[in-house]
Amino acid sequence: MALLEVKDIKKNFGKTEVLKGVSFSLDKGEVLAIIGSSGSGKTTLLRCLNFLETADCGEILVDGDTVFNAGAEYNEHDVREKRLKFGLVFQSFNLFPQYNVMQNLTLAPSLALKKQKLSAAEKKEKLEAIDKKASELLERVGLSDRSTAYPCQLSGGQQQRVAIARALVMQPDILCFDEPTSALDPELTGEVLRVIKGLKGEERTMIVVTHEMEFAKNVADKVIFMADGVIEEMGTPDEVFGAPKSEKTKAFLSNSLETF
């Protein structure tokens, strides 16, 4: 059984059809790269998966459980619970500037802990576990020495690595990246891509919207090329990059090689 099943997701903004029926599946531990021109629907798809936008049609299943059905109604508590299935790393980092690195990582799990009915001893134990997990993740992304630094004291690459650790601390089933290197200078891109590549070695299930074609070729298990709100082509990196069938895919890849 696939870990993630996305069925016929559609999304309109007014009269504009942004997603026109997107369907795909992803097995546990797979990395999916989504490529395509600006305006093709890539980011909107990620936002629908993470409940930042509500799809007008379709269904999303995680590990066989329906987490979204366009015909159902969800209250705020439902949305918060279902959103935990996914982690999203934004292209612009979105760290809280008033908190240091460790506080950025521990804020969300600490707030979630407050809603649980626990004894003082249980709460203390869980808070210590959150701090330990955050420290381990900072070491994992190579920033264990920056735990007390504030976002303004970090480079863009360091901020993005903190954002990755912050998403991981909630232990999502599926980790999503929206153009994780687009806000970075070229010399900082490599450090973020190395972290993502390392996560693949840990069998993390990931969806990466990216314009880094070499990264998609070398790291992804599946590649989706989106155009005009639909999946124009889908396959392995060898299939999509080496033998594309769609004329739109061929044109996009040709332009990408010239651009990148």
Side-chain angles (χ1 to χ4, degrees), residues 176-233:
C176 303
F177 297 85
D178 183 17
E179 299 279 14
T181 61
S182 66
L184 301 178
D185 294 331
E187 62 268 24
L188 299 177
T189 294
E191 66 186 64
V192 173
L193 294 181
R194 282 192 293 273
V195 169
I196 299 173
K197 189 173 182 179
L199 294 174
K200 176 181 170 66
E202 299 172 7
E203 297 191 348
R204 303 245 183 209
T205 308
M206 296 185 281
I207 300 174
V208 186
V209 169
T210 183
H211 62 264
E212 300 286 346
M213 297 299 109
E214 287 300 316
F215 175 79
K217 284 182 187 179
N218 296 327
V219 176
D221 300 294
K222 290 180 180 177
V223 177
I224 283 176
F225 169 62
M226 290 188 67
D228 303 317
V230 300
I231 293 177
E232 181 71 19
E233 190 151 354

Side-chain angles (χ1 to χ4, degrees), residues 27-178:
D27 290 337
K28 184 176 177 60
E30 282 190 322
V31 178
L32 169 66
I34 303 179
I35 61 175
S37 302
S38 297
S40 60
K42 309 183 301 296
T43 294
T44 299
L45 175 59
L46 282 193
R47 290 178 66 85
C48 286
L49 292 177
N50 284 270
F51 293 87
L52 298 176
E53 300 286 355
T54 302
D56 300 313
C57 176
E59 189 176 9
I60 302 169
L61 294 88
V62 177
D63 206 16
D65 294 329
T66 299
V67 297
F68 174 78
N69 187 311
E73 293 186 5
Y74 301 99
N75 58 38
E76 286 189 22
H77 178 266
D78 293 333
V79 171
R80 283 197 300 270
E81 288 296 313
K82 294 174 185 297
R83 191 176 283 154
L84 293 176
K85 299 284 186 181
F86 297 87
L88 179 58
V89 178
F90 298 89
Q91 55 184 286
S92 55
F93 322 140
N94 285 17
L95 299 178
F96 295 109
Q98 70 271 36
Y99 297 133
N100 66 30
V101 166
M102 180 62 77
Q103 290 168 332
N104 263 280
L105 263 65
T106 58
L107 179 62
S110 297
L111 289 175
L113 189 62
K114 285 184 178 181
K115 297 173 183 177
Q116 300 178 28
K117 295 181 179 179
L118 301 170
S119 67
E122 289 172 326
K123 184 177 180 180
K124 182 174 183 290
E125 181 180 353
K126 288 187 177 292
L127 284 172
E128 289 174 350
I130 290 170
D131 287 342
K132 181 181 178 182
K133 181 67 175 177
S135 296
E136 290 171 351
L137 287 170
L138 282 180
E139 184 173 358
R140 175 67 188 80
V141 300
L143 291 172
S144 57
D145 61 334
R146 305 294 279 159
S147 63
T148 59
Y150 287 82
C152 64
Q153 298 171 311
L154 304 176
S155 70
Q158 290 172 329
Q159 289 186 61
Q160 191 61 295
R161 284 187 279 155
V162 172
I164 293 171
R166 183 178 63 177
L168 287 170
V169 80
M170 298 302 291
Q171 302 182 59
D173 294 290
I174 300 150
L175 185 59
C176 303
F177 297 85
D178 183 17

